[in-house]
Amino acid sequence: MPDALGAHRPFGLRYWPLPEDEPAVRIGREPIRLVTRDGALVRGILWTPPASVGWKTAVVLSHPRGDFSVHYACPLLAAAGYGVFGFATRYLNNDTDCLHESCVVDVETAVAEMRRRGAQAVVLLGNSGGGSLMALAQKETRCGDGWIGIAAHPGEGVFMSQVIDPSVAEESDPHSVVHELDMYDPENGWRPWPEPCRYEREWLARYRAAQLARIARLDAVAKESLEEAQDAGARARALDQAGHAQAWRYWRQRAVHTRYMTIYRTLADPAYLDLSIDPDDRPMGSLFAFPDPLDANYGRGGLARVMTARGWLSTWSALSSRARLAETMPHVKVPTLILHPTADTEIRLRQTLEIRDRAGSEDRTYHELKGAPHYLEGRRREAMELVASWLEERFPK
């Protein structure tokens, strides 16, 4: 399957299968297109065991904006005897207007298709930001018979609360700075890459509080925009279009308006450069940096750089998003497997332990992959063998 391997993949698509992930058996792949009950298009690939091997359990995996139809787990779990449907939500490669509530509909649609095809059990698998999506889907729809989290962070909004730069003094000015809150200021402990940094714990506590305060300010902007649109909609509906065409047009225009928020500097976690913060096996730096987090914090890309008001609140706000594992995991009562790579630059060990401890299932299994990075390069076969063994003990094959 050379066309499915990502030996020369674009930066940021590290979940693609690598040549060393190719299974020793020939597996099947079928492109699938689905239309959700609200009219959205969902696309993915169904990976299946060798032609002579049937399957009774399906594994479904996705991510709010990533194309998990080519996730490394797909070929390896298919070779182990499972149907594996990796798919992209309606927000593929663009979460500007991402609503997690709509992503849940996409997951529900994918699971229903696997059951239509004869799956006796369907297990939800979430990697990275897919973990909080799959937990929200399970809480809202009860669509899965099992839940697997691999390097799953506590939620995209919660993750944003640890990486957003609180030193932005003015949202319209990407270079404005409150110096006493700047992790990239030498006065606060920063040293140029690749020197390690040291941030005082009292300063760090103020920094974390300021991160949440910035998120609260962004939430206020987003909510004001949505409230203005709702008010305009009510005014438009109260008017007779024919008799008050000009007034109706005025309010209707404002009712359908969408405010786009430009959110600068979203890669500023002091733990990237000070490894004494939440110590584990991770190296310095970030999965999203190249290699210095300062470059990515100020660069042209970045997480949540441009969002609609509702997209920000649903996906990237630590205060408003419903896709938070602390709230959803107690409702995930199906068998649960959690794998944590201890050299992950993004997910802290304490966060994974909190996810484990919040799980509502009495059947919980937890494994640490010592020294493995976020996307498990070099450890994928080992990890998928753990997953396959766990599946075989609980679900039909």
Side-chain angles (χ1 to χ4, degrees):
M1 53 173 194
D3 56 332
L5 301 179
H8 303 288
R9 58 211 162 147
F11 178 81
L13 296 182
R14 297 181 177 175
Y15 53 79
W16 282 19
L18 296 168
E20 57 266 29
D21 302 325
E22 185 174 6
V25 296
R26 186 175 182 82
I27 56 179
R29 288 180 291 142
E30 176 190 349
I32 292 178
R33 293 183 297 173
L34 303 172
V35 178
T36 67
R37 54 183 165 82
D38 60 344
L41 180 63
V42 170
R43 301 180 183 182
I45 296 175
L46 176 59
W47 302 67
T48 52
S52 60
V53 179
W55 56 274
K56 298 179 180 178
T57 294
V59 177
V60 169
L61 61 155
S62 190
H63 185 280
R65 65 189 173 282
D67 183 5
F68 274 16
S69 68
V70 286
H71 192 280
Y72 64 79
C74 296
L76 294 172
L77 291 180
Y82 299 95
V84 186
F85 184 43
F87 74 94
T89 73
R90 66 188 72 186
Y91 302 110
L92 174 61
N93 293 332
N94 185 357
D95 67 354
T96 301
D97 192 39
C98 178
L99 303 181
H100 264 73
E101 294 75 14
S102 296
C103 291
V104 166
V105 176
D106 298 348
V107 174
E108 184 182 30
T109 301
V111 171
E113 176 64 13
M114 293 301 99
R115 296 197 189 280
R116 187 189 71 81
R117 289 171 175 254
Q120 297 178 20
V122 178
V123 177
L124 307 180
L125 189 157
N127 174 208
S128 193
S132 49
L133 168 58
M134 290 301 180
L136 180 63
Q138 180 62 20
K139 173 182 181 290
E140 297 295 328
T141 70
R142 307 295 186 202
C143 63
D145 302 298
W147 186 89
I148 300 171
I150 302 176
H153 57 59
E156 292 196 296
V158 179
F159 179 75
M160 178 58 66
S161 72
Q162 76 186 39
V163 299
I164 197 167
D165 189 339
S167 71
V168 172
E170 173 56 55
E171 292 295 337
S172 62
D173 182 356
H175 300 293
S176 64
V177 63
V178 179
H179 291 286
E180 57 267 29
L181 291 174
D182 186 4
M183 69 166 276
Y184 297 110
D185 189 321
E187 293 296 321
N188 297 324
W190 174 79
R191 297 293 179 269
W193 182 271
E195 292 186 50
C197 304
R198 174 68 181 182
Y199 301 101
E200 296 299 328
R201 294 307 180 262
E202 290 185 5
W203 177 88
L204 183 63
R206 295 194 301 273
Y207 187 91
R208 295 302 191 198
Q211 288 179 302
L212 287 175
R214 185 184 176 198
I215 288 173
R217 293 193 297 271
L218 291 167
D219 275 21
V221 171
K223 290 177 180 179
E224 180 184 18
S225 174
L226 294 178
E227 289 167 1
E228 289 174 352
Q230 291 169 359
D231 177 67
R235 291 173 180 267
R237 289 190 296 272
L239 294 171
D240 174 64
Q241 296 181 35
H244 301 85
Q246 186 67 25
W248 180 87
R249 177 205 178 280
Y250 177 89
W251 290 114
R252 180 60 180 169
Q253 172 185 327
R254 283 153 181 77
V256 299
H257 171 71
T258 298
R259 174 179 292 184
Y260 285 84
M261 303 167 62
T262 302
I263 303 164
Y264 296 110
R265 289 158 47 189
T266 55
L267 202 72
D269 183 359
Y272 286 146
L273 301 179
D274 183 349
L275 299 183
S276 69
I277 301 172
D278 292 323
D280 52 20
D281 301 329
R282 70 184 185 276
M284 278 195 359
S286 168
L287 179 73
F288 302 104
F290 32 86
D292 186 352
L294 181 147
D295 294 348
N297 191 52
Y298 284 90
R300 62 182 178 275
L303 302 173
R305 186 65 81 241
V306 178
M307 298 294 299
T308 63
R310 66 178 191 170
W312 165 261
L313 293 171
S314 178
T315 294
W316 285 113
S317 168
L319 302 176
S320 298
S321 174
R322 295 167 55 226
R324 290 177 284 189
L325 287 176
E327 297 180 5
T328 56
M329 284 307 293
H331 300 275
V332 178
K333 300 185 181 298
V334 294
T336 296
L337 171 64
I338 298 173
L339 301 183
H340 176 69
T342 65
D344 193 333
T345 59
E346 312 307 318
I347 318 302
R348 309 291 168 250
L349 176 59
R350 63 170 175 80
Q351 294 175 323
T352 304
L353 294 177
E354 289 169 1
I355 293 168
R356 179 199 65 184
D357 294 343
R358 295 286 293 176
S361 175
E362 295 181 358
D363 181 357
R364 288 181 289 181
T365 305
Y366 172 74
H367 289 286
E368 290 180 8
L369 297 169
K370 296 292 185 181
H374 185 71
Y375 287 121
L376 310 188
E377 290 94 334
R379 307 290 293 281
R380 292 173 174 178
R381 286 184 179 275
E382 172 191 350
M384 292 306 103
E385 286 171 1
L386 287 171
V387 172
S389 176
W390 181 85
L391 290 169
E392 190 169 5
E393 292 174 1
R394 291 163 177 80
F395 302 103
K397 186 175 180 181

